[in-house]
């Protein structure tokens, strides 16, 4: 089996085509409603207060700031259309999965091989 990796994050800041998509065989787009995103940010803030989250890199801490909340609130009308456009223009060999609920994620995970 060849090299395998997972990439996550926001790729919209890159100008032009993102070369990472050239090597991708699957793209998973978590397209959840803004209120769900807001709730999850606030919940993590309360849940993890005064503790370091184990899934964050060293030196990073959970935080809440107005720019983050503003970005989440504006995302559906500013960034989401650009993401959908980019995903629709990907090479046909790329399997694009748009998951918009916890049950969508569970169903997708159930299709993956274990081990």
């Amino acid at each position: 089996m060849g090299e395998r990796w997972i990439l996550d994050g926001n790729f919209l800041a890159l100008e032009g085509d993102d070369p990472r998509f050239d090597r991708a065989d699957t793209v998973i787009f978590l397209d959840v409603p803004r209120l769900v995103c807001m709730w999850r940010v606030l919940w993590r803030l309360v849940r993890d207060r005064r503790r370091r989250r184990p899934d964050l890199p060293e030196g990073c801490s959970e935080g809440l700031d107005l720019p983050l909340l503003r970005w989440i609130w504006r995302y559906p009308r500013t960034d989401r259309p650009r993401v959908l456009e980019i995903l629709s223009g990907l090479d046909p060999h790329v399997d694009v999965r748009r998951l918009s609920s916890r049950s969508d994620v569970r169903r997708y995970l159930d299709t993956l091989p274990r081990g």
Side-chain angles (χ1 to χ4, degrees):
M1 182 173 289
E3 182 180 7
R4 298 174 63 156
W5 44 273
I6 296 173
L7 170 76
D8 72 349
N10 184 349
F11 53 86
L12 292 177
L14 297 174
E15 292 296 323
D17 292 335
D18 187 333
R20 296 174 291 184
F21 288 120
D22 295 339
R23 297 184 60 195
D25 59 20
T26 305
V27 172
I28 300 170
F29 175 37
L30 297 177
D31 191 17
V32 295
R34 83 171 63 152
L35 291 179
V36 171
C37 290
M38 294 288 239
W39 168 252
R40 288 177 178 171
V41 166
L42 295 172
W43 171 244
R44 283 193 308 267
L45 186 67
V46 170
R47 181 194 67 194
D48 299 328
R49 68 186 177 282
R50 297 195 271 306
R51 289 185 303 171
R52 187 183 165 284
R53 275 184 34 206
D55 59 318
L56 289 177
E58 192 65 40
C60 292
S61 60
E62 187 69 54
L64 181 67
D65 57 34
L66 192 54
L68 173 63
L69 295 177
R70 194 175 291 135
W71 180 80
I72 292 170
W73 193 256
R74 292 178 179 165
Y75 179 85
R77 74 176 177 276
T78 58
D79 290 341
R80 184 177 179 275
R82 290 178 24 215
V83 170
L84 292 173
E85 180 182 344
I86 290 167
L87 295 179
S88 71
L90 291 180
D91 189 287
H93 83 277
V94 178
D95 180 18
V96 176
R97 301 292 180 116
R98 187 174 143 255
L99 309 177
S100 45
S101 69
R102 188 178 298 250
S103 60
D104 285 351
V105 171
R106 279 193 197 109
R107 277 193 300 276
Y108 178 71
L109 291 175
D110 286 343
T111 69
L112 299 177
R114 302 280 183 218

